[in-house]
Amino acid sequence: MSTPTGPASGLPVRMPRPRQSGRHRRPEPVVAPEGAGALVLAVPGTPSSATRSLAEEVISIARSELPGLNARIGYLDGDDAEYPTLATVLAHSAAERVQRYEQTVAAGREAVEPTGPAAVVVPLLAGPDSELIRRIRQGVMDSGTQVELTDVLGPHPLLAEALHVRLSEAGLARADRARLFTVATAADGIVLATVGGEEAVRAAGITGMLLAARLAVPVMAAALDVEGSVASIARQLQGSGSVQLALAPYLVGPEVDPGLLDAAAKEAGCATAEPLGAYPAIGKLVLSLYATALGITPATPQGAQAH
């Protein structure tokens, strides 16, 4: 038998661990609020198994950061069979949330009545693309549900980090500028390739400045969907003294035809890195946009220190 101050008989008794105080206190784990709208990832481009795998990996990263997250994938060019359309996913998510609440009440358990948007739609886009955003908005309207649509992922320091990593993986940049080693094929000028016209180029330029600071080489943005843009930027870089150029896709991947990237790289006469893909920062930024839309508190991703 134990007393309020400890074991009376000398037998070991597990006592509650005192709550750590002060600024080093371990933060309480954050979980998705009960009844919160779903996170719906709006995926552009022609659906494929590779696209689905990428989207699922992004969702998996977001779930690892926020346990209990209800996350779905909606395809702009889905077929409502293997690849559900954005409108269908949104309508299903809204109906399911209401059904879940009604079932809980019918079972006599306490439940929080759903409020706020039925879903938060996060475009799987690094930068703005007015045509794709218009189609996402149309999908939201077609669903007939109350939905919050977030901004695109960039610009953000974490995307500059992701670009740096993709360039280093392709042998086109040093992985760590703090160490005294070189890469024989490292580029001395970077063409940051995006889609979405001049608006996208301006937005990419912000991340480009962050990338330039990391690599200590000039970085200029160009639009893959504007004829001659990549070649023109390549000539500008060469005119300013760059000899060995590299193409860095400022793209997650599904939003562009791979052939367009290959053609642009050949036209500019330079090597190319892989798109951003399911780099961990993508999932964290997706979750950050969702959390901000709902006013919940997973930590906003911070830009990592330049390597």
Side-chain angles (χ1 to χ4, degrees), residues 42-94:
V43 180
T46 304
S48 66
S49 57
T51 296
R52 179 168 54 203
S53 177
L54 187 158
E56 287 175 348
E57 193 169 346
V58 170
I59 289 294
S60 177
I61 293 165
R63 284 189 179 127
S64 72
E65 298 283 323
L66 185 65
L69 175 66
N70 177 18
R72 310 290 178 84
I73 301 166
Y75 299 89
L76 290 192
D77 293 311
D79 55 10
D80 273 337
E82 190 175 3
Y83 302 101
T85 63
L86 178 61
T88 297
V89 170
L90 291 174
H92 179 76
S93 295

mmCIF file of all heavy atoms in Angstrom, residues 42-94:
data_model
loop_
_atom_site.group_PDB
_atom_site.id
_atom_site.type_symbol
_atom_site.label_atom_id
_atom_site.label_comp_id
_atom_site.label_asym_id
_atom_site.label_seq_id
_atom_site.Cartn_x
_atom_site.Cartn_y
_atom_site.Cartn_z
ATOM 1 N N ALA A 42 -4.336 18.370 -54.529
ATOM 2 C CA ALA A 42 -4.776 18.511 -55.920
ATOM 3 C C ALA A 42 -3.592 18.264 -56.845
ATOM 4 O O ALA A 42 -2.647 19.055 -56.882
ATOM 5 C CB ALA A 42 -5.360 19.900 -56.151
ATOM 6 N N VAL A 43 -3.651 17.147 -57.574
ATOM 7 C CA VAL A 43 -2.511 16.711 -58.381
ATOM 8 C C VAL A 43 -2.775 16.989 -59.855
ATOM 9 O O VAL A 43 -3.708 16.436 -60.445
ATOM 10 C CB VAL A 43 -2.250 15.205 -58.167
ATOM 11 C CG1 VAL A 43 -1.061 14.747 -58.997
ATOM 12 C CG2 VAL A 43 -2.003 14.924 -56.686
ATOM 13 N N PRO A 44 -1.943 17.836 -60.472
ATOM 14 C CA PRO A 44 -2.112 18.144 -61.890
ATOM 15 C C PRO A 44 -1.456 17.083 -62.773
ATOM 16 O O PRO A 44 -0.792 16.165 -62.285
ATOM 17 C CB PRO A 44 -1.397 19.484 -62.035
ATOM 18 C CG PRO A 44 -0.289 19.401 -61.024
ATOM 19 C CD PRO A 44 -0.827 18.594 -59.878
ATOM 20 N N GLY A 45 -1.632 17.229 -64.072
ATOM 21 C CA GLY A 45 -0.957 16.349 -65.023
ATOM 22 C C GLY A 45 -1.698 15.059 -65.288
ATOM 23 O O GLY A 45 -2.698 14.743 -64.645
ATOM 24 N N THR A 46 -1.196 14.309 -66.250
ATOM 25 C CA THR A 46 -1.794 13.028 -66.617
ATOM 26 C C THR A 46 -1.534 12.010 -65.516
ATOM 27 O O THR A 46 -0.387 11.741 -65.175
ATOM 28 C CB THR A 46 -1.188 12.522 -67.939
ATOM 29 O OG1 THR A 46 -1.376 13.518 -68.951
ATOM 30 C CG2 THR A 46 -1.852 11.223 -68.373
ATOM 31 N N PRO A 47 -2.599 11.426 -64.942
ATOM 32 C CA PRO A 47 -2.390 10.459 -63.852
ATOM 33 C C PRO A 47 -1.634 9.227 -64.344
ATOM 34 O O PRO A 47 -1.790 8.784 -65.476
ATOM 35 C CB PRO A 47 -3.814 10.085 -63.436
ATOM 36 C CG PRO A 47 -4.687 11.176 -63.948
ATOM 37 C CD PRO A 47 -4.031 11.649 -65.204
ATOM 38 N N SER A 48 -0.816 8.692 -63.458
ATOM 39 C CA SER A 48 -0.066 7.468 -63.754
ATOM 40 C C SER A 48 0.298 6.825 -62.430
ATOM 41 O O SER A 48 0.144 7.433 -61.363
ATOM 42 C CB SER A 48 1.209 7.793 -64.538
ATOM 43 O OG SER A 48 2.101 8.556 -63.737
ATOM 44 N N SER A 49 0.808 5.616 -62.489
ATOM 45 C CA SER A 49 1.223 4.946 -61.252
ATOM 46 C C SER A 49 2.366 5.712 -60.586
ATOM 47 O O SER A 49 2.446 5.796 -59.355
ATOM 48 C CB SER A 49 1.641 3.501 -61.545
ATOM 49 O OG SER A 49 2.684 3.474 -62.501
ATOM 50 N N ALA A 50 3.257 6.300 -61.407
ATOM 51 C CA ALA A 50 4.375 7.071 -60.846
ATOM 52 C C ALA A 50 3.863 8.323 -60.147
ATOM 53 O O ALA A 50 4.338 8.686 -59.054
ATOM 54 C CB ALA A 50 5.357 7.444 -61.946
ATOM 55 N N THR A 51 2.871 8.983 -60.764
ATOM 56 C CA THR A 51 2.287 10.185 -60.158
ATOM 57 C C THR A 51 1.598 9.842 -58.846
ATOM 58 O O THR A 51 1.732 10.549 -57.840
ATOM 59 C CB THR A 51 1.279 10.822 -61.129
ATOM 60 O OG1 THR A 51 1.962 11.258 -62.299
ATOM 61 C CG2 THR A 51 0.583 12.017 -60.496
ATOM 62 N N ARG A 52 0.851 8.736 -58.853
ATOM 63 C CA ARG A 52 0.161 8.311 -57.628
ATOM 64 C C ARG A 52 1.157 7.982 -56.532
ATOM 65 O O ARG A 52 0.960 8.358 -55.368
ATOM 66 C CB ARG A 52 -0.728 7.105 -57.909
ATOM 67 C CG ARG A 52 -1.452 6.592 -56.650
ATOM 68 C CD ARG A 52 -2.537 5.603 -57.013
ATOM 69 N NE ARG A 52 -2.020 4.522 -57.832
ATOM 70 C CZ ARG A 52 -2.775 3.777 -58.639
ATOM 71 N NH1 ARG A 52 -4.071 3.996 -58.729
ATOM 72 N NH2 ARG A 52 -2.230 2.812 -59.354
ATOM 73 N N SER A 53 2.236 7.304 -56.872
ATOM 74 C CA SER A 53 3.253 6.953 -55.887
ATOM 75 C C SER A 53 3.869 8.210 -55.276
ATOM 76 O O SER A 53 4.078 8.293 -54.058
ATOM 77 C CB SER A 53 4.328 6.091 -56.550
ATOM 78 O OG SER A 53 5.359 5.802 -55.639
ATOM 79 N N LEU A 54 4.148 9.208 -56.113
ATOM 80 C CA LEU A 54 4.719 10.463 -55.627
ATOM 81 C C LEU A 54 3.737 11.152 -54.670
ATOM 82 O O LEU A 54 4.117 11.581 -53.575
ATOM 83 C CB LEU A 54 5.028 11.370 -56.817
ATOM 84 C CG LEU A 54 5.785 12.685 -56.569
ATOM 85 C CD1 LEU A 54 6.460 13.147 -57.852
ATOM 86 C CD2 LEU A 54 4.875 13.788 -56.057
ATOM 87 N N ALA A 55 2.470 11.257 -55.090
ATOM 88 C CA ALA A 55 1.457 11.923 -54.261
ATOM 89 C C ALA A 55 1.268 11.192 -52.937
ATOM 90 O O ALA A 55 1.136 11.825 -51.876
ATOM 91 C CB ALA A 55 0.142 12.010 -55.023
ATOM 92 N N GLU A 56 1.262 9.866 -52.978
ATOM 93 C CA GLU A 56 1.095 9.083 -51.742
ATOM 94 C C GLU A 56 2.272 9.288 -50.798
ATOM 95 O O GLU A 56 2.101 9.319 -49.577
ATOM 96 C CB GLU A 56 0.927 7.598 -52.089
ATOM 97 C CG GLU A 56 -0.436 7.275 -52.687
ATOM 98 C CD GLU A 56 -0.563 5.834 -53.138
ATOM 99 O OE1 GLU A 56 0.489 5.139 -53.201
ATOM 100 O OE2 GLU A 56 -1.687 5.394 -53.435
ATOM 101 N N GLU A 57 3.465 9.438 -51.359
ATOM 102 C CA GLU A 57 4.634 9.677 -50.508
ATOM 103 C C GLU A 57 4.562 11.052 -49.848
ATOM 104 O O GLU A 57 4.903 11.208 -48.669
ATOM 105 C CB GLU A 57 5.915 9.551 -51.334
ATOM 106 C CG GLU A 57 7.164 9.472 -50.472
ATOM 107 C CD GLU A 57 8.401 9.073 -51.248
ATOM 108 O OE1 GLU A 57 8.295 8.595 -52.404
ATOM 109 O OE2 GLU A 57 9.504 9.258 -50.700
ATOM 110 N N VAL A 58 4.102 12.051 -50.601
ATOM 111 C CA VAL A 58 3.923 13.389 -50.035
ATOM 112 C C VAL A 58 2.908 13.344 -48.889
ATOM 113 O O VAL A 58 3.138 13.916 -47.814
ATOM 114 C CB VAL A 58 3.471 14.380 -51.130
ATOM 115 C CG1 VAL A 58 3.032 15.713 -50.510
ATOM 116 C CG2 VAL A 58 4.593 14.622 -52.126
ATOM 117 N N ILE A 59 1.804 12.642 -49.104
ATOM 118 C CA ILE A 59 0.774 12.495 -48.074
ATOM 119 C C ILE A 59 1.329 11.767 -46.851
ATOM 120 O O ILE A 59 1.052 12.121 -45.701
ATOM 121 C CB ILE A 59 -0.444 11.729 -48.634
ATOM 122 C CG1 ILE A 59 -1.207 12.600 -49.635
ATOM 123 C CG2 ILE A 59 -1.359 11.245 -47.526
ATOM 124 C CD1 ILE A 59 -1.858 13.807 -49.051
ATOM 125 N N SER A 60 2.147 10.747 -47.088
ATOM 126 C CA SER A 60 2.735 9.982 -45.992
ATOM 127 C C SER A 60 3.628 10.873 -45.119
ATOM 128 O O SER A 60 3.606 10.773 -43.885
ATOM 129 C CB SER A 60 3.546 8.809 -46.553
ATOM 130 O OG SER A 60 4.183 8.101 -45.523
ATOM 131 N N ILE A 61 4.380 11.762 -45.755
ATOM 132 C CA ILE A 61 5.235 12.697 -45.006
ATOM 133 C C ILE A 61 4.366 13.617 -44.149
ATOM 134 O O ILE A 61 4.647 13.851 -42.972
ATOM 135 C CB ILE A 61 6.117 13.517 -45.970
ATOM 136 C CG1 ILE A 61 7.134 12.604 -46.669
ATOM 137 C CG2 ILE A 61 6.835 14.647 -45.231
ATOM 138 C CD1 ILE A 61 7.795 13.236 -47.884
ATOM 139 N N ALA A 62 3.280 14.128 -44.740
ATOM 140 C CA ALA A 62 2.377 15.018 -43.997
ATOM 141 C C ALA A 62 1.758 14.290 -42.808
ATOM 142 O O ALA A 62 1.668 14.837 -41.702
ATOM 143 C CB ALA A 62 1.289 15.554 -44.928
ATOM 144 N N ARG A 63 1.338 13.032 -43.004
ATOM 145 C CA ARG A 63 0.727 12.261 -41.909
ATOM 146 C C ARG A 63 1.726 12.003 -40.786
ATOM 147 O O ARG A 63 1.356 11.964 -39.610
ATOM 148 C CB ARG A 63 0.206 10.926 -42.444
ATOM 149 C CG ARG A 63 -1.095 11.041 -43.235
ATOM 150 C CD ARG A 63 -1.644 9.666 -43.545
ATOM 151 N NE ARG A 63 -2.895 9.734 -44.271
ATOM 152 C CZ ARG A 63 -3.132 9.110 -45.417
ATOM 153 N NH1 ARG A 63 -2.207 8.355 -45.970
ATOM 154 N NH2 ARG A 63 -4.314 9.226 -46.005
ATOM 155 N N SER A 64 2.974 11.803 -41.146
ATOM 156 C CA SER A 64 3.988 11.554 -40.111
ATOM 157 C C SER A 64 4.199 12.785 -39.237
ATOM 158 O O SER A 64 4.617 12.677 -38.085
ATOM 159 C CB SER A 64 5.314 11.133 -40.753
ATOM 160 O OG SER A 64 5.946 12.227 -41.396
ATOM 161 N N GLU A 65 3.902 13.960 -39.779
ATOM 162 C CA GLU A 65 4.057 15.205 -39.024
ATOM 163 C C GLU A 65 2.808 15.529 -38.197
ATOM 164 O O GLU A 65 2.883 16.270 -37.217
ATOM 165 C CB GLU A 65 4.332 16.369 -40.000
ATOM 166 C CG GLU A 65 5.610 16.241 -40.806
ATOM 167 C CD GLU A 65 6.845 16.570 -39.996
ATOM 168 O OE1 GLU A 65 6.774 17.493 -39.170
ATOM 169 O OE2 GLU A 65 7.873 15.900 -40.186
ATOM 170 N N LEU A 66 1.644 15.001 -38.607
ATOM 171 C CA LEU A 66 0.387 15.286 -37.905
ATOM 172 C C LEU A 66 -0.429 14.004 -37.797
ATOM 173 O O LEU A 66 -1.250 13.703 -38.670
ATOM 174 C CB LEU A 66 -0.411 16.369 -38.641
ATOM 175 C CG LEU A 66 -1.702 16.834 -37.942
ATOM 176 C CD1 LEU A 66 -1.376 17.533 -36.623
ATOM 177 C CD2 LEU A 66 -2.499 17.761 -38.852
ATOM 178 N N PRO A 67 -0.206 13.212 -36.734
ATOM 179 C CA PRO A 67 -0.950 11.963 -36.567
ATOM 180 C C PRO A 67 -2.466 12.200 -36.601
ATOM 181 O O PRO A 67 -2.956 13.203 -36.095
ATOM 182 C CB PRO A 67 -0.502 11.471 -35.185
ATOM 183 C CG PRO A 67 0.841 12.094 -34.987
ATOM 184 C CD PRO A 67 0.768 13.438 -35.648
ATOM 185 N N GLY A 68 -3.160 11.270 -37.206
ATOM 186 C CA GLY A 68 -4.611 11.374 -37.303
ATOM 187 C C GLY A 68 -5.093 12.188 -38.475
ATOM 188 O O GLY A 68 -6.299 12.370 -38.662
ATOM 189 N N LEU A 69 -4.160 12.685 -39.296
ATOM 190 C CA LEU A 69 -4.532 13.499 -40.450
ATOM 191 C C LEU A 69 -5.334 12.680 -41.458
ATOM 192 O O LEU A 69 -4.919 11.598 -41.873
ATOM 193 C CB LEU A 69 -3.260 14.048 -41.120
ATOM 194 C CG LEU A 69 -3.459 14.823 -42.424
ATOM 195 C CD1 LEU A 69 -4.231 16.114 -42.172
ATOM 196 C CD2 LEU A 69 -2.101 15.133 -43.069
ATOM 197 N N ASN A 70 -6.483 13.209 -41.846
ATOM 198 C CA ASN A 70 -7.297 12.612 -42.899
ATOM 199 C C ASN A 70 -6.878 13.264 -44.216
ATOM 200 O O ASN A 70 -7.173 14.438 -44.453
ATOM 201 C CB ASN A 70 -8.787 12.854 -42.617
ATOM 202 C CG ASN A 70 -9.680 12.306 -43.717
ATOM 203 O OD1 ASN A 70 -9.268 11.480 -44.525
ATOM 204 N ND2 ASN A 70 -10.922 12.768 -43.754
ATOM 205 N N ALA A 71 -6.167 12.542 -45.050
ATOM 206 C CA ALA A 71 -5.620 13.116 -46.279
ATOM 207 C C ALA A 71 -6.018 12.281 -47.485
ATOM 208 O O ALA A 71 -6.026 11.052 -47.426
ATOM 209 C CB ALA A 71 -4.100 13.212 -46.179
ATOM 210 N N ARG A 72 -6.342 12.969 -48.563
ATOM 211 C CA ARG A 72 -6.790 12.323 -49.805
ATOM 212 C C ARG A 72 -6.041 12.918 -50.992
ATOM 213 O O ARG A 72 -5.407 13.966 -50.887
ATOM 214 C CB ARG A 72 -8.295 12.540 -50.006
ATOM 215 C CG ARG A 72 -9.173 12.198 -48.801
ATOM 216 C CD ARG A 72 -9.215 10.702 -48.547
ATOM 217 N NE ARG A 72 -10.014 10.389 -47.368
ATOM 218 C CZ ARG A 72 -11.342 10.252 -47.378
ATOM 219 N NH1 ARG A 72 -12.022 10.426 -48.500
ATOM 220 N NH2 ARG A 72 -11.988 9.943 -46.270
ATOM 221 N N ILE A 73 -6.196 12.252 -52.130
ATOM 222 C CA ILE A 73 -5.576 12.718 -53.376
ATOM 223 C C ILE A 73 -6.663 12.872 -54.426
ATOM 224 O O ILE A 73 -7.449 11.947 -54.660
ATOM 225 C CB ILE A 73 -4.509 11.727 -53.876
ATOM 226 C CG1 ILE A 73 -3.411 11.541 -52.826
ATOM 227 C CG2 ILE A 73 -3.907 12.198 -55.200
ATOM 228 C CD1 ILE A 73 -2.507 10.352 -53.095
ATOM 229 N N GLY A 74 -6.734 14.048 -55.048
ATOM 230 C CA GLY A 74 -7.672 14.291 -56.139
ATOM 231 C C GLY A 74 -6.914 14.708 -57.388
ATOM 232 O O GLY A 74 -6.047 15.585 -57.327
ATOM 233 N N TYR A 75 -7.223 14.087 -58.504
ATOM 234 C CA TYR A 75 -6.494 14.342 -59.761
ATOM 235 C C TYR A 75 -7.282 15.288 -60.655
ATOM 236 O O TYR A 75 -8.481 15.096 -60.883
ATOM 237 C CB TYR A 75 -6.246 13.027 -60.491
ATOM 238 C CG TYR A 75 -5.405 12.042 -59.704
ATOM 239 C CD1 TYR A 75 -6.009 11.138 -58.822
ATOM 240 C CD2 TYR A 75 -4.025 12.024 -59.821
ATOM 241 C CE1 TYR A 75 -5.246 10.241 -58.085
ATOM 242 C CE2 TYR A 75 -3.250 11.130 -59.087
ATOM 243 C CZ TYR A 75 -3.869 10.250 -58.218
ATOM 244 O OH TYR A 75 -3.108 9.358 -57.496
ATOM 245 N N LEU A 76 -6.597 16.294 -61.198
ATOM 246 C CA LEU A 76 -7.277 17.225 -62.103
ATOM 247 C C LEU A 76 -7.744 16.517 -63.367
ATOM 248 O O LEU A 76 -8.769 16.881 -63.939
ATOM 249 C CB LEU A 76 -6.338 18.379 -62.477
ATOM 250 C CG LEU A 76 -5.990 19.400 -61.395
ATOM 251 C CD1 LEU A 76 -5.309 20.605 -62.009
ATOM 252 C CD2 LEU A 76 -7.226 19.827 -60.633
ATOM 253 N N ASP A 77 -6.980 15.551 -63.807
ATOM 254 C CA ASP A 77 -7.337 14.801 -65.016
ATOM 255 C C ASP A 77 -7.692 13.359 -64.675
ATOM 256 O O ASP A 77 -7.366 12.435 -65.423
ATOM 257 C CB ASP A 77 -6.176 14.841 -66.026
ATOM 258 C CG ASP A 77 -5.945 16.244 -66.564
ATOM 259 O OD1 ASP A 77 -6.932 16.883 -66.977
ATOM 260 O OD2 ASP A 77 -4.797 16.709 -66.559
ATOM 261 N N GLY A 78 -8.348 13.176 -63.544
ATOM 262 C CA GLY A 78 -8.729 11.835 -63.114
ATOM 263 C C GLY A 78 -9.846 11.250 -63.961
ATOM 264 O O GLY A 78 -10.495 11.952 -64.750
ATOM 265 N N ASP A 79 -10.083 9.945 -63.763
ATOM 266 C CA ASP A 79 -11.103 9.235 -64.538
ATOM 267 C C ASP A 79 -12.241 8.720 -63.653
ATOM 268 O O ASP A 79 -13.154 8.061 -64.137
ATOM 269 C CB ASP A 79 -10.472 8.064 -65.302
ATOM 270 C CG ASP A 79 -9.705 7.113 -64.383
ATOM 271 O OD1 ASP A 79 -9.815 7.247 -63.135
ATOM 272 O OD2 ASP A 79 -8.988 6.252 -64.906
ATOM 273 N N ASP A 80 -12.172 9.025 -62.351
ATOM 274 C CA ASP A 80 -13.161 8.560 -61.374
ATOM 275 C C ASP A 80 -13.269 7.038 -61.318
ATOM 276 O O ASP A 80 -14.282 6.485 -60.898
ATOM 277 C CB ASP A 80 -14.544 9.178 -61.632
ATOM 278 C CG ASP A 80 -14.677 10.521 -60.936
ATOM 279 O OD1 ASP A 80 -13.944 10.751 -59.946
ATOM 280 O OD2 ASP A 80 -15.495 11.346 -61.378
ATOM 281 N N ALA A 81 -12.220 6.379 -61.762
ATOM 282 C CA ALA A 81 -12.128 4.925 -61.617
ATOM 283 C C ALA A 81 -10.850 4.644 -60.836
ATOM 284 O O ALA A 81 -10.853 4.600 -59.611
ATOM 285 C CB ALA A 81 -12.125 4.247 -62.990
ATOM 286 N N GLU A 82 -9.758 4.525 -61.556
ATOM 287 C CA GLU A 82 -8.474 4.306 -60.887
ATOM 288 C C GLU A 82 -7.942 5.584 -60.244
ATOM 289 O O GLU A 82 -7.274 5.551 -59.209
ATOM 290 C CB GLU A 82 -7.463 3.762 -61.901
ATOM 291 C CG GLU A 82 -6.181 3.284 -61.261
ATOM 292 C CD GLU A 82 -5.233 2.624 -62.272
ATOM 293 O OE1 GLU A 82 -5.563 2.599 -63.476
ATOM 294 O OE2 GLU A 82 -4.173 2.142 -61.838
ATOM 295 N N TYR A 83 -8.253 6.721 -60.873
ATOM 296 C CA TYR A 83 -7.739 8.006 -60.393
ATOM 297 C C TYR A 83 -8.919 8.959 -60.159
ATOM 298 O O TYR A 83 -9.424 9.575 -61.107
ATOM 299 C CB TYR A 83 -6.762 8.606 -61.413
ATOM 300 C CG TYR A 83 -5.590 7.702 -61.720
ATOM 301 C CD1 TYR A 83 -5.566 6.939 -62.890
ATOM 302 C CD2 TYR A 83 -4.527 7.602 -60.837
ATOM 303 C CE1 TYR A 83 -4.490 6.096 -63.163
ATOM 304 C CE2 TYR A 83 -3.452 6.771 -61.105
ATOM 305 C CZ TYR A 83 -3.437 6.017 -62.268
ATOM 306 O OH TYR A 83 -2.376 5.190 -62.531
ATOM 307 N N PRO A 84 -9.391 9.084 -58.910
ATOM 308 C CA PRO A 84 -10.565 9.917 -58.636
ATOM 309 C C PRO A 84 -10.303 11.396 -58.903
ATOM 310 O O PRO A 84 -9.222 11.912 -58.604
ATOM 311 C CB PRO A 84 -10.836 9.670 -57.148
ATOM 312 C CG PRO A 84 -9.549 9.164 -56.592
ATOM 313 C CD PRO A 84 -8.860 8.434 -57.700
ATOM 314 N N THR A 85 -11.295 12.068 -59.470
ATOM 315 C CA THR A 85 -11.156 13.490 -59.757
ATOM 316 C C THR A 85 -11.223 14.300 -58.460
ATOM 317 O O THR A 85 -11.745 13.844 -57.442
ATOM 318 C CB THR A 85 -12.269 13.991 -60.693
ATOM 319 O OG1 THR A 85 -13.527 13.834 -60.037
ATOM 320 C CG2 THR A 85 -12.262 13.222 -62.010
ATOM 321 N N LEU A 86 -10.734 15.522 -58.535
ATOM 322 C CA LEU A 86 -10.744 16.408 -57.375
ATOM 323 C C LEU A 86 -12.168 16.635 -56.886
ATOM 324 O O LEU A 86 -12.438 16.559 -55.682
ATOM 325 C CB LEU A 86 -10.082 17.746 -57.741
ATOM 326 C CG LEU A 86 -10.054 18.815 -56.651
ATOM 327 C CD1 LEU A 86 -9.274 18.339 -55.427
ATOM 328 C CD2 LEU A 86 -9.445 20.115 -57.197
ATOM 329 N N ALA A 87 -13.094 16.901 -57.796
ATOM 330 C CA ALA A 87 -14.486 17.165 -57.398
ATOM 331 C C ALA A 87 -15.092 15.971 -56.667
ATOM 332 O O ALA A 87 -15.780 16.133 -55.650
ATOM 333 C CB ALA A 87 -15.326 17.511 -58.632
ATOM 334 N N THR A 88 -14.841 14.773 -57.154
ATOM 335 C CA THR A 88 -15.391 13.561 -56.529
ATOM 336 C C THR A 88 -14.815 13.356 -55.127
ATOM 337 O O THR A 88 -15.543 13.031 -54.182
ATOM 338 C CB THR A 88 -15.091 12.331 -57.398
ATOM 339 O OG1 THR A 88 -15.755 12.496 -58.655
ATOM 340 C CG2 THR A 88 -15.563 11.052 -56.744
ATOM 341 N N VAL A 89 -13.520 13.547 -54.980
ATOM 342 C CA VAL A 89 -12.869 13.366 -53.677
ATOM 343 C C VAL A 89 -13.409 14.375 -52.662
ATOM 344 O O VAL A 89 -13.673 14.031 -51.506
ATOM 345 C CB VAL A 89 -11.336 13.500 -53.821
ATOM 346 C CG1 VAL A 89 -10.660 13.567 -52.455
ATOM 347 C CG2 VAL A 89 -10.778 12.322 -54.612
ATOM 348 N N LEU A 90 -13.613 15.606 -53.106
ATOM 349 C CA LEU A 90 -14.129 16.635 -52.197
ATOM 350 C C LEU A 90 -15.557 16.320 -51.752
ATOM 351 O O LEU A 90 -15.887 16.434 -50.562
ATOM 352 C CB LEU A 90 -14.083 18.008 -52.876
ATOM 353 C CG LEU A 90 -12.684 18.586 -53.106
ATOM 354 C CD1 LEU A 90 -12.757 19.872 -53.923
ATOM 355 C CD2 LEU A 90 -11.967 18.835 -51.793
ATOM 356 N N ALA A 91 -16.402 15.925 -52.693
ATOM 357 C CA ALA A 91 -17.784 15.596 -52.345
ATOM 358 C C ALA A 91 -17.841 14.400 -51.390
ATOM 359 O O ALA A 91 -18.608 14.392 -50.416
ATOM 360 C CB ALA A 91 -18.578 15.303 -53.622
ATOM 361 N N HIS A 92 -17.002 13.400 -51.653
ATOM 362 C CA HIS A 92 -16.968 12.209 -50.802
ATOM 363 C C HIS A 92 -16.464 12.556 -49.394
ATOM 364 O O HIS A 92 -17.009 12.079 -48.391
ATOM 365 C CB HIS A 92 -16.080 11.146 -51.441
ATOM 366 C CG HIS A 92 -15.967 9.894 -50.632
ATOM 367 N ND1 HIS A 92 -16.965 8.954 -50.566
ATOM 368 C CD2 HIS A 92 -14.969 9.437 -49.814
ATOM 369 C CE1 HIS A 92 -16.597 7.970 -49.766
ATOM 370 N NE2 HIS A 92 -15.383 8.241 -49.301
ATOM 371 N N SER A 93 -15.447 13.405 -49.314
ATOM 372 C CA SER A 93 -14.884 13.788 -48.018
ATOM 373 C C SER A 93 -15.915 14.524 -47.171
ATOM 374 O O SER A 93 -16.030 14.288 -45.958
ATOM 375 C CB SER A 93 -13.648 14.681 -48.217
ATOM 376 O OG SER A 93 -12.615 13.966 -48.855
ATOM 377 N N ALA A 94 -16.684 15.422 -47.806
ATOM 378 C CA ALA A 94 -17.708 16.173 -47.072
ATOM 379 C C ALA A 94 -18.800 15.248 -46.557
ATOM 380 O O ALA A 94 -19.220 15.337 -45.392
ATOM 381 C CB ALA A 94 -18.306 17.250 -47.980
#
